[in-house]
Amino acid sequence: MVEGALAVLVALVLAVAAVWATWTSEHRRVLDEERHQVRATTVTEAVTSASDTRSGVPDAALADATWSRPGSGAHRGVVEVPLGTAAGSVVLIWVDEHGRVVPKPPTDADMAMASALAGVSVFTVLAGAAAAVTGFRDRRLEGRTLEAWGAEWAAVEPRWSGRREE
């Protein structure tokens, strides 16, 4: 019982460490990535296709657009826009230091969810492994106990019951 409690405690400590490590690495990654929000002008009308949208959100569509970023010149490409966006509309997009379209930075809620998922995953795996090892050990111990009891009973039972061994 003490071993089980200790295993759960260790799993909990490691889960908290995983949450902290994920949270700090996500924040560091967001700070290290150079992203800028720029204005893009759509060249074509928005075309919707559930399989084409990057977010999978049904109110999003794709359109060809042009944009520029100081230091990287003019760019053209496909961007995600609201459904019904007309050609010539201005939309905000996120780009990297080279002017390539990148996803918007994750919010604190996104990073909190990723951190919580990491913690829950670590705890589940470690606690599950501890339970499996304990269960395996208990089954083996019970098997040996039953074998020993069977051997002892085989020796005592004939004398106890008055039956003669054959």
Side-chain angles (χ1 to χ4, degrees):
M1 182 103 111
V2 173
E3 289 173 349
L6 184 60
V8 169
L9 181 64
V10 168
L12 187 60
V13 168
L14 291 176
V16 169
V19 168
W20 179 255
T22 304
W23 178 261
T24 56
S25 70
E26 285 290 313
H27 270 283
R28 191 175 310 114
R29 183 178 60 84
V30 168
L31 293 174
D32 289 346
E33 289 178 351
E34 190 169 325
R35 297 178 192 198
H36 303 280
Q37 199 171 31
V38 298
R39 294 179 182 275
T41 304
T42 58
V43 178
T44 62
E45 190 174 306
V47 178
T48 183
S49 171
S51 62
D52 290 343
T53 59
R54 292 186 185 116
S55 68
V57 178
D59 61 346
L62 301 176
D64 285 331
T66 60
W67 64 92
S68 63
R69 183 181 174 307
S72 68
H75 298 276
R76 182 179 177 127
V78 177
V79 297
E80 195 169 302
V81 296
L83 190 61
T85 301
S89 300
V90 175
V91 294
L92 294 175
I93 62 170
W94 288 91
V95 297
D96 64 10
E97 64 272 10
H98 303 292
R100 294 183 299 243
V101 177
V102 294
K104 72 177 187 172
T107 64
D108 281 348
D110 294 335
M111 291 184 280
M113 184 60 79
S115 300
L117 184 59
V120 168
S121 298
V122 167
F123 181 79
T124 301
V125 167
L126 293 177
V133 167
T134 302
F136 178 72
R137 187 196 66 209
D138 288 349
R139 272 191 239 101
R140 291 205 42 184
L141 181 61
E142 184 178 0
R144 280 192 243 147
T145 301
L146 289 174
E147 284 178 20
W149 184 84
E152 290 175 12
W153 180 250
V156 171
E157 190 268 337
R159 286 183 275 157
W160 174 76
S161 66
R163 242 180 359 108
R164 295 190 135 186
E165 288 188 49
E166 298 175 19

